[in-house]
Amino acid sequence: MIPLLTLSVLTVDAKAPLAVKAGTGYGPSRKVADVTISGRVIDATTGEALAGCNVVVKGTQRGTTTDANGTYRISVPSESSVLVFGFIGFVSQEVRVGNQSTLNVGLKASSSELNQVVVIGYGTTTKKDATGALTTLKSADFNRGIINSPEQLLQGKVAGVNVTSASGEPGGRQNITVRGPGGVRTGSTPLFVLDGIALDNSNTGGNSSSLNPLNFLNPQDIESIDVLKDASATAIYGARGANGVILITTKKGKAGASNLTLSANVGISKIANPIDVFSADEYRRQVVALGGVLDDQKASTDWQREISRKAVTQDYNVGLSGGSDRFTYYGSLSVQNQEGVLKNSQFNRYTGRFNASQKLLDDRLVLDVNLTASQTVNRRPPNESISSASVTVVGAALAANPTYPAYDSTGAPAKYQAFTNPVLTLNLQKDITTINRVVANISPSLKITKDLVYKLNLGVDNASSTRDYQTLASLVPQQDGRLESVYGNNQNVLIENYFTYTRGWGNHNLTALLGHSYQKFSIWERSWSINKFPISPIEPINNAGLGQDLTLANNRPSGSAIENELQSFFSRVNYQYKDRYLLTATVRADGSSKFGANNKYGVFPSFSAGWRLSEEPFLRSGPFSDLKIRAGWGQTGNQEIPSKITQALFTSQVSASTSYPLDASTNYPAGTTYTRLANPNIQWEVSTQTDVGLDFGLFKGALTGTLDYFRKVSGKILLEVIPADPIQPASTYWTNVPDMTITNQGVELGLNYRYASQGGFRLDLGGNITFIKNRVDNSPYSVITSGSASGSGLTSATVNGYVNGQPIGTFFLREYTGIDDKGVSIYRDTDGDGIGGTDKDRIAAGSALPTKQFNFNANASYRGFDLTANFNGVSGNKIYDNTANALFYKARLVKGLNTTPEGIGEAAESINNSAPVSTRFLKDGAFFRLNNLTLGYNLDPRLIGLKQWVSNIRLSATGQNLFVITKYNGYDPEVSTDRTVNGISSYGIDYLSYPKARSFVFGLNITF
Amino acid sequence: MKKILILTIALLGLNGCTDLNENVLDEASATGLTDRQAADGNLAPVYARLPDIFLHTNYFAIQEISTDEAILPYRGGTDWGDNGIYLALHQHTQTSTDPNLRATWGLLTQGISRAVTALNTLPTINDSNVKTYIAEARGMQAYYNMMLLDLFGLVFVKNDPQGVSQILRGEEALEYLKSEFLAVEPDLATNVGPGRLTKGGVWGLLARLYLNAAVYRDRYNTQPTLKSEDMDKVIEYSDKIIGSGQYQLVADYFSIFNADNHTNKELIFAVDQRSELNGHNRLAYFSLSGDQFPLPAFPSANGTDGPAITPDFYRTWTAAYAPQDPAGIDPRFYRKNMTIPADSCVAAANVVMDRGILRGQQYGLLRVNGAFTRCGSNYRIGRLFYVTRNRPTLPVSFSEQVDFSVAGSNYNTGYRVLKYEFSPRSQSGRNLGDVDIPIVRLADVYLMRAEAKLRKNNDVAGALADVNAIRAARTFSTPAPALTTLDLDLLLRERGFELYWEMVRRTDLIRFGKFEGKWTEKTDGNPQKRLFPIPQTAIDGASNLPGYLVQNAGY
């Protein structure tokens, strides 16, 4: 088979049999009555029935699917009709009806899914022909349950990819890295490409890094996710490829099989692991035991329970798909209403999608259109401030005196003079972010000659957002009302033109790609606020005009507008000899308006080769159904650098830090100052990656696996640095630090085993493990600090520090060694100055980056029942428990603030011992989680007499986060509160994070 | 087919010619200024960071908390822990990563840089003020460098904005500063103070520079060798100021630190704070209790239970006046302002804080549920408790004892200082105050002259005359009694009485050889701590120029 690059990136399904042999005529039909055909479709190897197999009359829209026993019944126009049998993971078959009335068919499994189509950017290939390190995930493999964003679909599914939710907040940020972070400040989020449109990773709304910009996608619209990991695979995305590329492909219609799918899911969630603070009784005992003054209000309140709830999630989806030979469509509408486990927090999403493909001009022109529109509404729990990621109401509940009643005798939240009832706090604040986003692209492709295809891709992605942050006026606790609103708009326009040339002759196959891409990003934001709303039933959100105080001191509006352009030229050549020697070369030249005048364009090359040993005569008879060695090298860039940093700026403004009175008048002079120095040499960060891999299949494809070694070295690290001479107009300037490198090195192993019994029992066992090491070298700084600690007594302390020879995410802390005889903490004196615990005594005490990630999944099915389990875990990482550092120590309990048994665990500790940032609060972050367990049952519609209308009914129950084994005693070890300092990323800090939920989801899925 | 090909190429061409120049939409460099605007716009930034330099956590913290005048424990185990930096500063165990040192360094170097920018731009501007402005910018460059020399032991000489600064230390630095001040003195105005640098200001700075010259020449020596000529210069410049007749010792000591002190005759050079622009109340609010709310209009503008004076410093007062209480004898120690009527109700205008060193039970506005308790249109004044610190039974009653022990770190420990007025003109409470912060004032000049007389030839009589002139001037209430004897120890004590919490203490203690002394929670005797460490970030930043920026000894 010629491994042709399918012309459209949108055609992803391997089986798509109908699109392939276009133009095959079918004879003139004789005018006779319809013939009814029935039969059974089985797995040719195992004899097992195939349920849900598509049976389509070729060239028509007539079709059906097999039931749970693999049987079907269909009427065809004539004996000359051809039936096409197609099923995921199997080679489709076409059978001419002839004069038979029963047609039993055995489908052959497509060998180890070797012919599975993988999307590689500006084209597709098949798994067996790929030379880069990439992984494809089909919708059937996705995680299930309550899903907010696509990262969650692939958590734990792909070796080398680490997905960590920042907190348990619905719609909250997901941190995703592919083969480790490669920058200090640039962030390490991979490039996401949705149906050929490269998305911008900027926040889409509300001045907040806490919301995930990918929340807008309906997970049920996603057909497959392809993860490009090594440089040979990502170099086609040049300056944006360094952190990996994730290609998301949405569902397309299939000719002939018209489907209507309805699904409804209802989920119940609860806080999975509340923090073990003292109960009221224990609190009474402990406060007295420590010599504190007990303020006992006689109640017994579990404040965590008071601010949380059993949260209900409802999720409804309607999907339509179908089409004819020349026109296919897919459409969907979905609603997801998700209550957060904390009261008054909520995430709602409404989406609509329409994808269509039309063939014209004798099928020479294929027009693909994708359109999605969505609205997400996040209601977030009370934060410290509009830009804070930590949840103050969580802190209030953890520390609150448990003897205070939450409600008064009338059932209203109780009000106290010297005590803030967390339930009141919860009601006094509202923080709502609404984002409307439309992503559309149209991509015609034209077959110019037999071998040459031209494709145009025009795309637009527009997100507009509003965030309203309201504080209600109140007497107890006394506060003024305030409303702050932030409006934003992100626009991303893409124009791409490319040619694909495909030719095979003799033993040679060649595919060449040449293209141009232009992309423009425009982002603006404006905010304003107004103060002093009266106490009134009218919420400020609904009538901002009721605010009574508006001063430039307290309500100065702000705004920003940024425009960036990216222009690229790219090319790729794939060459194959005898179907077993594979070569790929890629080059992309990227120019960005963010780069300095002296470095406008960067060139990113890559080369890779593959050798399919299993095709060699000497191995044909061996145990390997597949054996391929791959090797690749390439350079990619990271252009996620701030805008405008290459340009000088001197401004003239009246402000406290630039102006000064020169006389008695109150017209103050506008001070002219430099706020930024020019640096025309600024460029992208460069990462050079080498990958050696092995793909193998054994026992006729029952056991398959992939093994990869990679080494990714990132250089030209971009930092805001301090000049050697401190006398500079601006105290810092941006530069690419010479020599400094960040290296990610590791091994990934993925294994999958399949078993199917004659009796219809199927079992899939899979797993992957990643060993990864990250290291910073040649940094000119003794330490680059990040991760500012929070809480009283912790001002100015940082938790993360990047030092040479240690990984990113290192915790750079003084080392706590215990309590001395005065009851005071002692710290190791590492610099030998005789004083333990100065800043100079800090050590690299471990990193937030795991050194091992492991995942395991199992899928069993038998007679309509199926059971899927996914486990995932990490080890080798640590977590800084800033929550405990700020809240749980003896001195706090003595003052009447609740704490945990751990907080008073040191018997010798003085009740006035301070708790500065130290390794005392650094904890092991390893965990192992049963993250997803689904039991499903496919009900045979015949059993309930719906055979005529319904082709499949599926009932399912999913448990999410059913258990987690960990030593960590915060809410959850998978956490990262954003505590960035000066743009330097923070890692592994847990501060008043939104608690993680355990959920049970019940689903009903009907296909018509 | 050809048509489509042409169309394609046209499309390619259409969007293929972007030059990728960055289009900056939300910022613009300053253009189109008039000469006056340009001249003002260059000078104003040179001064503009002064309020930030003189912030409670910047220059104030490093000049006062490092001495016996101020101590800041970890209040109640919840406040001002700040990762131990205030304990370290007091115990002289600070490190090169100290954030307050870094911030102060950053502001001073920025001030110098702004002066360099101004000095390169001003000569190109055609405005009548330019000559004075150039002198002021150059004088301020020298002043910031003088602070760097005092704190970090070095100065940066820079004239060409594109060049690399020359670093000078010791004698060379001292000579550089002298020559700079002398060079600008003739061109400075006399009548633009106290907010801007004037002739009087530079005379005061020169007197201060000469007074400390021995230290600056030879920082770590146990007994700096004094030069008689230096003392002559101190006397000469002090004489110029006193003889100018432009400044006067004022009768009301605390009026020097009032919100309306801009026209106070005692100020020679000061940070001009305005409530509309750049002011703060941080020096007032730092030390007060979290339950002291000085302004009826701002129910959230309270103190922070920050630093207190050490018992050691307090005892210098009691020892001086025993058996009498210092409050009754020295008007600089304490002023009672608020009288509480029988019904405890006071009109808003009469809610005025006591000033000076606050001891014992405090009374003030009562805050319940975030609002002040009223009696009709008046405000109720009462005994204060630590309600905001969750300790409603603990009275706001300041004790003498304060240290880093459990008891000594409680919210109420240590006598507090309210010297700078909590400005009622503020628009936001804690910020936007308008007290001008004195940099050089006349009483300091008298005391410098007295010290020079003593140091030069032990002219006790001359020195006593200066010291007693100050004491006698405070006639708003009964002035403090005249001193009858004087030596260097008594003079240092007198400087403490007159200038406490005015950010000269660390410099004074070093000059008097007392910085290695022992006081509450402070035992360190390492003379290398006379200099602060250069911030690690600056050292790291200069690591590509080996030997350029060398860390001070001992850090």
Side-chain angles (χ1 to χ4, degrees), chain A residues 260-311:
Chain A
L260 170 63
T261 308
L262 297 179
S263 75
N265 292 285
V266 175
I268 306 283
S269 308
K270 256 189 93 167
I271 294 187
N273 301 298
I275 289 175
D276 179 28
V277 292
F278 287 122
S279 67
D281 287 345
E282 194 63 18
Y283 171 88
R284 288 183 185 100
R285 241 190 322 277
Q286 295 295 352
V287 172
V288 174
L290 290 178
V293 181
L294 177 65
D295 175 15
D296 188 352
Q297 300 290 320
K298 308 297 178 207
S300 177
T301 304
D302 178 348
W303 287 107
Q304 286 181 93
R305 181 193 287 260
E306 295 302 332
I307 62 162
S308 64
R309 62 180 167 190
K310 270 205 182 74

Side-chain angles (χ1 to χ4, degrees), chain A residues 454 478 516 563 600 644 647 650 657 660 662-663 668 672 676 725 727-729 782 792 839 895 914, chain B residues 8 15 20 22-23 26-27 30 41 74 76 78 96-97 113-114 158 165 195-196 272 274 276 369 540:
Chain A
Y454 159 73
Q478 197 277 337
H516 169 263
E563 219 172 64
K600 272 295 173 209
K644 302 183 286 194
Q647 313 212 15
F650 61 99
S657 60
Y660 189 80
L662 297 180
D663 53 37
Y668 301 112
T672 304
R676 201 171 49 229
D725 177 3
I727 310 303
Q728 302 290 343
S782 41
S792 63
D839 256 15
K895 290 172 185 68
S914 64
Chain B
T8 306
N15 52 57
L20 295 174
E22 189 162 22
N23 186 13
D26 54 358
E27 297 172 340
Y74 185 20
T78 59
S96 59
T97 54
S113 167
R114 286 179 172 187
K158 186 166 191 167
S165 306
R196 288 163 55 188
D272 191 349
R274 304 281 176 97
E276 314 84 15
N369 293 336
D540 286 345

